Amino acid sequence: METNSINDAVNHPRHYTEGFAPVTIECIDITRHMPFTVGNAFKYVWRAGKKGGPEKTLEDLRKALWYIRDAVQNECIADYPAAFAVFSLIPKEDTFRWRALHHLANRLPCAAERTIEEWIEEVEND
């Protein structure tokens, strides 16, 4: 999907389109293949650090963890290979955001058992 360099806050917001060059991919390209709660968790990790300072980043990660816990509690965990196939197109980056998305994609139930601080530490050490 081609994105425009102008911030289109409705159709292609920067916080969902930037960050994984050279691949041009939007968060929705992946989350549309996930259950709602898992997709929302993925979305909040995707945009973490893109919508404000450290407080907003932590808020986004807390929201992601809330959705992870909801998905696990309500057994909304399913195998969604299409989502991970699209995610696998993104080249591996040594960034917290990429590692957090990868961690989320591969260890969803494990993340639900952690506090936000434990989850961040686990992702940083992964």
Side-chain angles (χ1 to χ4, degrees), residues 39-94:
N40 258 5
F42 198 87
K43 171 191 77 172
Y44 280 116
V45 174
W46 181 285
R47 77 181 209 183
K50 300 285 185 183
K51 288 196 76 177
E55 304 84 24
K56 187 64 177 171
T57 299
L58 193 55
E59 179 182 301
D60 281 343
L61 295 176
R62 282 191 174 107
K63 287 178 181 179
L65 191 55
W66 187 93
Y67 278 104
I68 290 167
R69 288 180 177 146
D70 186 78
V72 170
Q73 180 180 5
N74 294 296
E75 299 181 17
C76 296
I77 307 303
D79 189 16
Y80 21 89
F84 299 127
V86 177
F87 179 67
S88 71
L89 298 173
I90 300 171
K92 183 175 182 177
E93 292 189 6
D94 190 24

Side-chain angles (χ1 to χ4, degrees), residues 11-59:
N11 298 301
H12 304 288
R14 278 197 187 124
H15 54 275
Y16 293 130
T17 58
E18 293 182 340
F20 293 109
V23 175
T24 303
I25 195 166
E26 292 188 38
C27 184
I28 189 98
D29 296 324
I30 299 170
T31 59
R32 68 171 39 115
H33 303 286
M34 297 177 164
F36 176 79
T37 51
V38 176
N40 258 5
F42 198 87
K43 171 191 77 172
Y44 280 116
V45 174
W46 181 285
R47 77 181 209 183
K50 300 285 185 183
K51 288 196 76 177
E55 304 84 24
K56 187 64 177 171
T57 299
L58 193 55
E59 179 182 301

